[in-house]
Amino acid sequence: MAQSARRVSIGLVQINNSFSGQSYLPYSVGCLEGYVRRHSAKPEDYEFLLPVYKRMPVRDAVSGLLGCDVAGFSIYVWNARISLEIARRLKAAQPNTLIIFGGPHVPDQTEPFLRENPFIDIAVNGEGEKTFLALLEALPARPWQDIPGVSFISADGKFIQTLKPPRIKNLDEVPSPFLDGVFDPLMAANPDETWIGLWETNRGCPFQCTYCDWGSATAAKVTKFEMDRLLREAEWFSQNRIEFIFCCDANFGMLSRDATLAEYVGKLKQESGYPKALSVQNTKNATEKAYRTQKILSDAGLNKGVALSMQTLSGDVLKNIKRDNISLETYLELQRRFARDGVETFSDLIIGLPGETYDSFMDGIDLLINSGQHNRVQFNDLSILPNAEMANPEYIREHGLELVESEIINIHGSRVELDDDVPEIQQLVVATGSMPREDWRRVRAAAWMTAFLHFDKLFQIPLILIHETTGIRYRTMIETFMGVDARNYPLLADIRDFFLSEAASIQRGGAEYTYSEEWLGIYWPADEYKFIDLTVRNQFGRFYQESCALMKQLAAQQGADLPADALENAVQLNHALLKQPFITDDATLTLSADVLTFWTDARQGAAPRLIRKPLTVQVSRAKAHYASLSDWCREVVWWGNKKGAYLYTNQIVEMQLAGHF
């Protein structure tokens, strides 16, 4: 294969998952191609095939790569296994093809990886643009040992790993694959594809959370792309009608300019309708910058809610995961400010972090809700990423992490039944030294119960009312639902047992989500699955009856004085507001206490007062009509997830003030 004889044919592979018929533009390999075209001494020597950008039968991917001289793969946890199988078959069909693997999934300790996969010629460690070009320009002599940032097995069987090169300081050396037309042939060849944009405005992350490997750039200084380039990329997204942009920055909002970027994207949306959404990972500590940036995104309708990713509220756990330099008060203050401004937020908690106990996790749930998080907490199972510090065997032993292999299934995802596919696998933590297997199941089930009752809004109004009027903790109420007696509360016990059963299934390597062929053919979180189940079985009347009785029993046990009829009013209102399929008429209900204003004030961070005043509430249901179960599943349970949009709008149409409770 001599460069002087003919052009070098290059096939690039960056397989991403597709969502709702939309596919990601392969940004990482686009940067590789753009760098070669810009910086090669003889760019005419290289011919790039159309990249493999989404899952397909392995044989089809291999067929598309036949004839290439070099095949470059960008791998991470969601595409590693299928990429390896494509490379294995390609090497078998074309032994002379140079196979190069890069990306965050390539282990820092590379030798075992290369020996287990002998069809890989070169592994790239670190940023790939400069190294990839150096590898191409070293053909045909292949003096790999002179190239920084590579690992390989030599002809005599020795493992060789060269030193990583310095990170690229001036990121504008890396051309924009959008502005330089790298993606134009791919988009032209797939005119029916709806594309998702991956947008990188900077690289690096100053934090070093042990569970994280943000593009292998953790604990690294942040470097920036030039502002004019970013504004022109935003215009490119708008002009090409890209609906959804995922920002690859680890801490969007950390830099003052991020607010300007958010404003500009919002302006483009207002003018052209595109992009429709910009998903970002919020910065960790910069309260004022984060608030301003996220408020801009929210006001522009570019996000479904502001992400406040706390992960844990335990100081000891924060130390174990090297996150103790991140202020929890920052998150709680942001949560309070957004609530006052009517901006919905959602938080993240990770189940099974080292040092977390059943009690500390349940206390964390309680603190989050009590601090005003009434929209959504995403309870994520802990998975081990290849190059994260947590993947170190010594770290695993120190904290007693018990791992199980589980197929990667996306929330609300559907399994594409390809006849020649390779499922992806993740390493899930299903117990730790501080959270034994039984406690992990209890936590996982209680997290679903919390989501079911509070964040799916099925029983949120009564829970807030009870807490605010009696002081009974949210944790206590959740644990009461988890401890119900099946003889007296058979439906609630069935819900609890389902959650415990699903948690046990995960510990055996089962899927994290519950599949339903009938309900859109997708995987549902267990709480949403039960939401649909109760709807289909017309069980909400029974659910509210049992739940009301259970909370009265709890109040009596706690010696708490619930205001007369207030709980019944709250239950009646919550039931009437719950969006359900097939309903075509509005509803009117009469209450003896203004639990509606009480609930609204509490959600917005105001001090609620429960006032006795007969009032009539009009619930607007006809305009939000769902003519089929599938429409309701999709538009309410699925699409309402982060927005928490499970309740009808309402208004007080008549009231008479009588006095305070």
Side-chain angles (χ1 to χ4, degrees):
M1 180 171 60
Q3 283 182 276
S4 59
R6 63 181 179 84
R7 302 175 77 190
V8 176
S9 177
I10 303 167
L12 296 175
V13 181
Q14 183 191 348
I15 296 172
N16 289 305
N17 294 318
S18 298
F19 297 94
S20 303
Q22 302 180 74
S23 296
Y24 286 95
L25 287 164
Y27 175 77
S28 295
V29 297
C31 288
L32 297 181
E33 179 176 342
Y35 195 89
V36 171
R37 292 187 182 280
R38 174 78 62 86
H39 295 287
S40 171
K42 293 184 176 182
E44 64 276 10
D45 284 351
Y46 305 108
E47 175 188 19
F48 285 89
L49 307 179
L50 291 180
V52 178
Y53 65 93
K54 66 179 180 180
R55 296 188 82 87
M56 61 180 66
V58 173
R59 72 173 74 88
D60 293 348
V62 173
S63 176
L65 294 168
L66 289 176
C68 70
D69 302 304
V70 177
F73 294 77
S74 177
I75 61 169
Y76 211 0
V77 65
W78 52 76
N79 68 13
R81 286 164 57 94
I82 191 172
S83 297
L84 288 167
E85 180 60 13
I86 293 169
R88 185 188 69 81
R89 294 194 202 176
L90 179 63
K91 194 69 165 182
Q94 294 186 166
N96 291 330
T97 299
L98 180 68
I99 305 288
I100 304 172
F101 267 61
H105 205 91
V106 173
D108 291 334
Q109 304 300 318
T110 319
E111 183 175 2
F113 176 72
L114 290 174
R115 294 201 183 278
E116 290 167 10
N117 302 286
F119 46 86
I120 300 175
D121 296 298
I122 299 285
V124 175
N125 304 102
E127 286 179 308
E129 289 90 357
K130 286 187 174 182
T131 304
F132 187 66
L133 175 58
L135 289 169
L136 294 181
E137 296 196 330
L139 296 172
R142 303 190 177 197
W144 309 140
Q145 68 278 1
D146 298 330
I147 297 175
V150 300
S151 302
F152 60 97
I153 305 296
S154 66
D156 59 1
K158 293 180 180 179
F159 170 71
I160 297 174
Q161 184 167 19
T162 64
L163 293 176
K164 280 187 181 181
R167 291 178 61 222
I168 300 173
K169 292 182 179 180
N170 179 12
L171 285 182
D172 290 301
E173 290 180 19
V174 181
S176 168
F178 310 109
L179 303 178
D180 278 23
V182 170
F183 294 134
D184 290 354
L186 177 66
M187 296 172 73
N190 296 275
D192 297 328
E193 191 78 76
T194 300
W195 297 103
I196 301 173
L198 293 166
W199 196 25
E200 187 182 33
T201 81
N202 63 59
R203 288 184 183 178
C205 177
F207 303 99
Q208 47 187 330
C209 308
T210 63
Y211 58 82
C212 183
D213 177 41
W214 194 272
S216 298
T218 51
K221 183 179 179 180
V222 174
T223 54
K224 300 176 291 184
F225 287 97
E226 196 267 335
M227 189 66 170
D228 179 67
R229 164 201 176 120
L230 298 176
L231 297 177
R232 289 187 292 120
E233 286 183 335
E235 293 168 359
W236 186 94
F237 292 132
S238 180
Q239 293 164 2
N240 285 275
R241 303 171 70 87
I242 304 297
E243 294 189 4
F244 184 88
I245 302 172
F246 181 89
C247 181
C248 303
D249 302 354
N251 297 279
F252 193 79
M254 179 174 64
L255 305 175
S256 298
R257 71 175 194 171
D258 292 343
T260 303
L261 285 173
E263 284 180 334
Y264 195 69
V265 176
K267 174 177 175 289
L268 292 171
K269 177 182 179 179
Q270 185 178 29
E271 293 173 350
S272 70
Y274 294 91
K276 297 184 182 298
L278 171 60
S279 176
V280 305
Q281 315 306 307
N282 205 26
T283 186
K284 275 64 171 181
N285 271 339
T287 310
E288 194 58 42
K289 291 178 184 177
Y291 174 79
R292 182 175 175 229
T293 304
Q294 291 284 4
K295 184 71 165 57
I296 291 168
L297 292 173
S298 178
D299 290 346
L302 286 165
N303 61 19
K304 294 182 179 180
V306 176
L308 300 175
S309 301
M310 300 183 188
Q311 316 306 2
T312 179
L313 281 85
S314 165
D316 291 338
V317 179
L318 288 171
K319 291 179 182 178
N320 289 338
I321 61 175
K322 295 185 178 179
R323 200 176 165 91
D324 52 326
N325 60 339
I326 297 172
S327 170
L328 289 179
E329 186 53 38
T330 292
Y331 285 99
L332 297 177
E333 175 59 22
L334 284 171
Q335 184 171 280
R336 289 187 285 265
R337 291 183 66 177
F338 283 125
R340 288 195 299 268
D341 288 348
V343 177
E344 297 286 15
T345 67
F346 60 94
S347 304
D348 288 341
L349 291 178
I350 298 177
I351 297 173
L353 288 172
E356 194 85 75
T357 65
Y358 171 83
D359 283 326
S360 69
F361 194 89
M362 296 304 294
D363 282 343
I365 292 176
D366 187 82
L367 177 56
L368 266 183
I369 300 177
N370 198 40
S371 298
Q373 181 52 271
H374 300 298
N375 182 55
R376 170 67 62 187
V377 172
Q378 296 183 165
F379 298 101
N380 301 313
D381 301 321
L382 175 61
S383 62
I384 304 296
L385 297 175
N387 288 323
E389 182 180 344
M390 194 172 285
N392 189 311
E394 292 182 6
Y395 190 100
I396 292 172
R397 286 193 296 271
E398 177 185 355
H399 295 286
L401 306 186
E402 295 186 32
L403 309 180
V404 66
E405 283 195 347
S406 173
E407 183 178 349
I408 296 177
I409 302 290
N410 292 310
I411 182 173
H412 303 128
S414 58
R415 178 180 290 161
V416 179
E417 295 293 343
L418 302 175
D419 63 351
D420 188 14
D421 193 18
V422 182
E424 303 299 336
I425 299 297
Q426 61 185 333
Q427 297 285 332
L428 285 183
V429 175
V430 295
T432 71
S434 58
M435 188 180 287
R437 294 180 70 88
E438 181 180 357
D439 282 358
W440 188 93
R441 289 194 298 274
R442 292 169 64 207
V443 164
R444 178 65 270 184
W448 280 322
M449 183 66 80
T450 304
F452 179 76
L453 297 170
H454 197 76
F455 300 118
D456 298 347
K457 308 295 194 298
L458 306 187
F459 204 66
Q460 185 184 95
I461 300 175
L463 292 178
I464 290 178
L465 174 86
I466 294 167
H467 173 73
E468 294 289 348
T469 59
T470 70
I472 295 175
R473 298 177 69 193
Y474 289 104
R475 170 181 174 172
T476 301
M477 290 185 279
I478 298 302
E479 290 179 322
T480 300
F481 276 92
M482 290 299 298
V484 291
D485 179 354
R487 291 173 297 178
N488 296 321
Y489 304 100
L491 181 60
L492 296 181
D494 173 73
I495 296 168
R496 182 266 321 278
D497 292 344
F498 175 75
F499 292 156
L500 287 169
S501 174
E502 290 298 292
S505 174
I506 291 175
Q507 287 185 317
R508 296 191 298 269
E512 293 182 271
Y513 305 104
T514 306
Y515 181 73
S516 171
E517 178 67 36
E518 181 182 4
W519 304 334
L520 303 184
I522 64 175
Y523 285 84
W524 299 94
D527 57 292
E528 294 180 2
Y529 185 93
K530 264 302 173 186
F531 184 0
I532 300 171
D533 177 55
L534 264 61
T535 297
V536 170
R537 294 194 290 127
N538 195 26
Q539 289 291 301
F540 271 111
R542 181 68 178 175
F543 166 77
Y544 284 109
Q545 180 184 5
E546 288 190 14
S547 298
C548 185
L550 181 66
M551 290 297 96
K552 283 187 173 181
Q553 178 183 324
L554 172 63
Q557 291 172 348
Q558 297 274 320
D561 186 18
L562 274 172
D565 300 327
L567 178 59
E568 288 84 352
N569 277 216
V571 171
Q572 181 185 359
L573 177 64
N574 211 140
H575 192 180
L577 292 180
L578 186 64
K579 289 181 180 177
Q580 293 281 265
F582 313 119
I583 294 176
T584 58
D585 57 341
D586 293 342
T588 302
L589 61 154
T590 302
L591 306 174
S592 61
D594 189 1
V595 292
L596 176 57
T597 301
F598 185 92
W599 168 62
T600 302
D601 287 346
R603 279 182 51 85
Q604 294 176 348
R609 294 188 307 159
L610 185 60
I611 300 176
R612 184 192 299 278
K613 56 178 179 183
L615 74 160
T616 302
V617 178
Q618 184 79 26
V619 182
S620 301
R621 306 191 301 187
K623 292 182 179 179
H625 172 56
Y626 307 99
S628 70
L629 180 65
S630 293
D631 287 345
W632 174 81
C633 286
R634 182 181 300 104
E635 297 176 32
V636 175
V637 187
W638 177 1
W639 294 351
N641 178 277
K642 286 185 179 178
K643 296 183 294 184
Y646 303 111
L647 303 181
Y648 293 111
T649 57
N650 56 81
Q651 61 177 332
I652 298 173
V653 295
E654 182 181 335
M655 57 185 171
Q656 297 176 349
L657 183 63
H660 297 266
F661 276 104

